[in-house]
Amino acid sequence: MTQVGEGQEAEESAPSVMTFGAPTVGEILAERYELVEHINDDSAGRQVWRGVDVILRRPVAVVLRHPGGDSATEMLQAAVAASRVIHPNLAGVYDAIDEAERAYVVREWVDGRSLRELTAEGPLDPARATSIGHSVASALAAVHATGMVHGNVHPGTVMISDDGRVVLADARTDGADSQESDLRAVGGVLYYALTGHWPHGEAPLHGATAGHGRAVIPDAVRDANGGLAAPRQIRAGVPAYLDDLTMDLLDRQIPPPSSDVLTAELGRLEVPADEQYLEQAGPLRFTADNEDERTPLSPAGGRKVVLGIAGLLVVALVGLLIGVTTLRGDDDPGGQAANPTSPAASDDAPAPAPAAVRALKLGPDQVRVIDPDSKARDEFDGIEKVVDGDQDEAWQTDGYYNAKFSNLKGGMGILIDLKQPQTVKSVEALLSNRGATGQIYVGTADHPSTSAGDKALVEAFKSKQIGPTLENHGAKMVFDGFEADQKYQYLLFWVTDLPEIDAGKYKLIVQEITVQVQ
């Protein structure tokens, strides 16, 4: 397994690692972190150890640099900044210590492999590559939301744990880094996962010297002019929309989307393998417009194809109108065919078109937490964030030690009041992690916001469940079993199993709830 800060083994040109005062197995740093096993040396001349926090009795990764002091400033500053961002796809940073003769960062230990190691066995299938890209983009969105930059995104710092969790480790910012370079690197991660080649070659995105930490990754396939070969040109089976999205992110002539937009787009494309046949639409294409909002384009042909099709549709529509006008003038002088109230037309009049499906705008007063088994009722803050339209803001429960709320409660939920009976098409809950189990129940009345009121509400609502229970489900839960001839006002999104957000830690984080009505 790789636990290296740079994600790479040391190269021949790498700085020499520490010799004087080198750590040894069994040594305890800061009276807390016991060194258990030297894993390897990274390309920045740092030693990486597997260790144990002897106080909390948990495994940790320890990254040591010799000497400390001014030469370790960047490493320590990056670690301190990273420690302020908590996200399931970011490696947790626990400590950063400068002892002058050496400095070290203590972070989460990830049991698993780096993307570099995983892809060494062969390119990944498109669904797996999309899932990894989505996780990396989601982690960057959390970092960028604070105004910070990661600055070290590549196949060695993307970790895939044994339980499938994707973790981005070892932020390392310097003056050359930017949020744009982070986003270009997501394109590189997608390209690498799909092809096994790193598209940035000897010109890293992060301002490092040629080959620094990345030269051992195979360069991309290029034409005689140095142009990058698209993933679909290298291997079969890469969907056109994923190929286009990857190449757009790598094209410096096309401004990348923001990290939250990219996260949402990759999340939309992240379809389970057994449901991929349902996903026919390609993604948004990010174009070099100067407009504030980028125009959605066809996944296969881009803007010119869309404009061409639009022109043909206009011509066809004009022709159709002319034809209808001509027929009315020749064969229907009284205009009866155009009069739906005339006797001749009423018998064959088409049925009225169904109302359009739309997302209902919900206000903060239309959602509240249902927690019947809690006396403290202290997990209610921030519930308005599930309907604020911002996926970077979320409501979350406390942390629990197992998926069943540590056996403290039977579940928690969110009550949605539509204010009046509505024809509901679907309810979508966007979570931060996979693994939750949830249901949708409906009822006819609200209850007091007390423990007793919540118990009465759950008891009343559980007699009417909409659709199946979604067990151990993905991050996007969609409930669409509503009856078309019924109207609903009160909906209860109920969760009985929490997703695991960290080793041994379970928490429900709801980013957004959307109700589609007709």
Side-chain angles (χ1 to χ4, degrees), residues 113-124 128 192-193 195-196:
R113 295 185 290 174
S114 69
L115 177 61
R116 175 174 173 262
E117 292 173 309
L118 186 66
T119 310
E121 301 172 358
L124 307 184
R128 185 83 182 277
Y192 183 81
T195 68

Side-chain angles (χ1 to χ4, degrees), residues 199 219-229:
D219 187 16
V221 177
R222 302 178 185 275
D223 59 26
N225 297 319
L228 190 66

Side-chain angles (χ1 to χ4, degrees), residues 194-195 229-244 299-300:
L194 292 168
T195 68
R232 297 184 78 195
Q233 296 175 296
I234 300 173
R235 58 172 292 199
V238 178
Y241 61 80
L242 184 57
D243 187 89
D244 287 338

Side-chain angles (χ1 to χ4, degrees), residues 244-296:
D244 287 338
L245 177 59
T246 300
M247 295 303 288
D248 280 356
L249 288 170
L250 295 174
D251 188 345
R252 294 184 180 277
Q253 302 303 313
I254 299 178
S258 63
S259 51
D260 55 344
V261 170
L262 180 59
T263 300
E265 182 62 10
L266 287 168
R268 187 179 74 85
L269 299 176
E270 187 182 356
V271 181
D274 58 350
E275 298 178 16
Q276 285 186 6
Y277 67 92
L278 298 174
E279 184 64 51
Q280 300 296 330
L284 299 176
R285 294 295 303 277
F286 308 113
T287 63
D289 288 24
N290 293 323
E291 302 168 352
D292 290 336
E293 295 186 1
R294 297 181 175 89
T295 306

Side-chain angles (χ1 to χ4, degrees), residues 403-444:
K404 296 291 187 181
F405 293 90
S406 301
N407 300 318
L408 297 175
K409 57 182 73 176
M412 287 182 69
I414 298 174
L415 179 67
I416 308 164
D417 179 2
L418 304 183
K419 295 297 187 183
Q420 62 183 14
Q422 307 256 18
T423 301
V424 179
K425 299 296 291 183
S426 68
V427 174
E428 176 184 305
L430 182 62
L431 313 181
S432 68
N433 292 80
R434 297 172 176 270
T437 293
Q439 302 90 16
I440 285 287
Y441 298 110
V442 297
T444 57

Side-chain angles (χ1 to χ4, degrees), residues 67-197:
D70 292 342
S71 64
T73 298
E74 187 275 328
M75 179 185 82
L76 296 172
Q77 287 179 344
V80 170
S83 70
R84 298 171 183 156
V85 185
I86 308 299
H87 190 276
N89 298 120
L90 285 172
V93 178
Y94 305 143
D95 217 337
I97 299 174
D98 185 4
E99 295 180 346
E101 67 179 26
R102 66 185 177 188
Y104 44 93
V105 172
V106 182
R107 65 162 169 82
E108 174 186 0
W109 174 267
V110 181
D111 279 320
R113 295 185 290 174
S114 69
L115 177 61
R116 175 174 173 262
E117 292 173 309
L118 186 66
T119 310
E121 301 172 358
L124 307 184
D125 65 81
R128 185 83 182 277
T130 301
S131 177
I132 290 173
H134 177 218
S135 296
V136 173
S138 181
L140 290 176
V143 173
H144 293 175
T146 68
M148 297 189 302
V149 176
H150 187 278
N152 198 26
V153 181
H154 59 83
T157 55
V158 176
M159 307 292 299
I160 296 87
S161 69
D162 292 338
D163 63 1
R165 175 177 164 233
V166 178
V167 182
L168 182 60
D170 300 305
R172 195 197 68 186
T173 59
D174 59 37
D177 297 314
S178 66
Q179 292 189 4
E180 178 175 337
S181 65
D182 279 351
L183 293 162
R184 301 287 185 204
V186 177
V189 166
L190 288 170
Y191 191 98
Y192 183 81
L194 292 168
T195 68
H197 296 270

Side-chain angles (χ1 to χ4, degrees), residues 62 99 356 429 487 509:
V62 182
E99 295 180 346
K487 294 183 181 292
I509 304 176

